[in-house]
Amino acid sequence: MAGGMETSKAFEQLQHELAQQVLGQEGLVNRLVIALLADGHLLVEGAPGLAKTRAIKALSRHLPGDFHRVQFTPDLLPGDLTGTDIYRPETSAFEFQPGPIFHNLVLADEINRAPAKVQSALLEAMAERQVSVGQRSYPLPQPFLVMATQNPIEQEGTYPLPEAQLDRFLLHVEVSWPDAATEKRILQLVRREAAGEPVAQAQRISLEQLQAARAEMRSLHLAGAVEEYIVQLVQATRHAAAYDAELAGWIEWGASPRASIALESTARAHAWLAGHDFVSPEDVQTLAPDVLRHRVLPSFAAQADGISANDIINRLLERVPVG
């Protein structure tokens, strides 16, 4: 129990320190830590300058391993990401040269700028936790977390991710503008960093602590009623007519079973980070928008009426009963 308390405090301190470095984006910080605990990847959508890169770079300073940023562009090739075999004349043999995907934390910046082959190579590596080149497969390091970003503006010349590939992301997080008070704190922080003020020693999370945290998270009590609530929420995306006729007309395609798995694991992580020893319906409701946002496809009629995936999820949460 003492070990559990120490692990919990380490992650509580991690969240606190990240929030001090990434001002005004507490939600993004929380979802990054949840993705780390649930061993998944996240897609972050927001305008430029909202500390998306800063957030994952800050997280890398607290974890074992390293960080790498990949700028996705239309001329990027799959091998530029995964690596390739290089011929060595001195040995008359091919040698594998790992690509930037072989890092613990990878930022795939503006993923929708790269063509489908590159997107597929990234998503395959995310799902399989390995890269296959020629006749050989190479395992990716542990821990391994990808944070992909996309810009909601400037959609010209982009390659939108297909819905089936979006499903590979554990969470789809939306980030918004900071308020005036937070923006003033950001100015002050940037001035201090530019002046070279010393930075406090980062709270380091070891691989053993991460594995212990994941084990504790998986051991949290999940009542049968909460499990049923998770299943019914996801089922409602496919059979919405049972709850609301208008809602059924808004949904073109519902969420896959991956949504149920993601909703349970992220709700567990949310409850564990809050210091609870059981998963509540509130944990499920808190994570439902980020888990379902990219897995529910609004119909053409809904889009024409200005109904977004967020509107659909809010209606689902209103209509599906708890317990």
Side-chain angles (χ1 to χ4, degrees):
M1 187 69 179
M5 289 287 289
E6 289 175 9
T7 304
S8 178
K9 284 186 177 179
F11 275 84
E12 183 182 339
Q13 181 65 19
L14 169 64
Q15 275 202 108
H16 174 74
E17 290 187 13
L18 287 175
Q20 297 304 307
Q21 299 166 51
V22 188
L23 300 176
Q25 298 296 354
E26 289 80 6
L28 174 58
V29 165
N30 177 258
R31 299 306 188 260
L32 257 176
V33 177
I34 284 176
L36 179 67
L37 286 168
D39 199 15
H41 311 283
L42 69 165
L43 176 66
V44 181
E45 186 169 337
L50 293 179
K52 300 184 292 291
T53 303
R54 184 182 178 92
I56 191 167
K57 197 170 182 180
L59 178 62
S60 71
R61 292 196 289 268
H62 296 263
L63 295 175
D66 47 16
F67 162 79
H68 194 89
R69 175 181 176 273
V70 183
Q71 179 64 52
F72 277 49
T73 56
D75 60 348
L76 200 68
L77 299 173
D80 296 332
L81 181 69
T82 60
T84 187
D85 285 328
I86 296 177
Y87 183 71
R88 300 292 187 191
E90 59 271 19
T91 59
S92 300
F94 285 93
E95 178 184 315
F96 179 62
Q97 186 70 34
I101 196 72
F102 285 87
H103 289 79
N104 298 95
L105 285 103
V106 177
L107 173 64
D109 216 357
E110 294 190 289
I111 187 173
N112 54 337
R113 292 274 172 212
K117 282 186 177 181
V118 179
Q119 294 176 358
S120 296
L122 172 67
L123 292 162
E124 182 183 357
M126 286 164 45
E128 305 297 332
R129 304 300 172 107
Q130 66 177 25
V131 166
S132 297
V133 176
Q135 301 297 314
R136 298 190 62 183
S137 295
Y138 304 90
L140 293 167
Q142 288 297 327
F144 176 63
L145 185 150
V146 172
M147 184 176 109
T149 71
Q150 60 181 17
N151 190 340
I153 58 177
E154 297 179 15
Q155 293 300 318
E156 291 181 12
T158 62
Y159 303 82
L161 284 163
E163 282 71 23
Q165 293 191 354
L166 282 170
D167 197 26
R168 301 292 182 91
F169 286 98
L170 181 74
L171 298 168
H172 178 188
V173 182
E174 292 181 340
V175 292
S176 56
W177 305 109
D179 58 28
T182 302
E183 196 150 352
K184 188 181 291 186
R185 289 172 58 212
I186 292 170
L187 288 175
Q188 294 164 356
L189 176 62
V190 170
R191 280 201 301 269
R192 289 197 300 271
E193 290 178 345
E197 289 190 16
V199 179
Q201 186 67 31
Q203 166 73 38
R204 300 283 294 181
I205 300 292
S206 68
L207 188 56
E208 291 74 20
Q209 283 177 308
L210 177 57
Q211 291 169 340
R214 286 174 173 174
E216 289 175 23
M217 180 198 84
R218 288 191 295 267
S219 70
L220 288 188
H221 176 66
L222 180 75
V226 177
E227 183 179 52
E228 181 66 18
Y229 180 51
I230 290 171
V231 171
Q232 290 306 318
L233 265 179
V234 176
Q235 286 282 322
T237 68
R238 306 171 207 153
H239 310 291
Y243 298 93
D244 186 319
E246 184 181 38
L247 179 61
W250 290 354
I251 301 175
E252 181 71 25
W253 197 257
S256 79
R258 279 199 189 107
S260 301
I261 298 167
L263 201 46
E264 180 187 332
S265 63
T266 56
R268 282 183 179 277
H270 187 267
W272 185 82
L273 284 170
H276 302 155
D277 54 7
F278 62 93
V279 182
S280 70
E282 288 74 23
D283 295 310
V284 176
Q285 291 166 345
T286 300
L287 271 299
D290 293 339
V291 168
L292 298 175
R293 180 176 291 123
H294 55 305
R295 294 183 165 99
V296 175
L297 180 63
S299 66
F300 178 78
Q303 294 178 59
D305 290 339
I307 305 295
S308 68
N310 289 336
D311 297 320
I312 293 170
I313 295 162
N314 289 335
R315 180 71 71 89
L316 281 168
L317 291 170
E318 289 173 4
R319 294 290 187 266
V320 178
V322 178

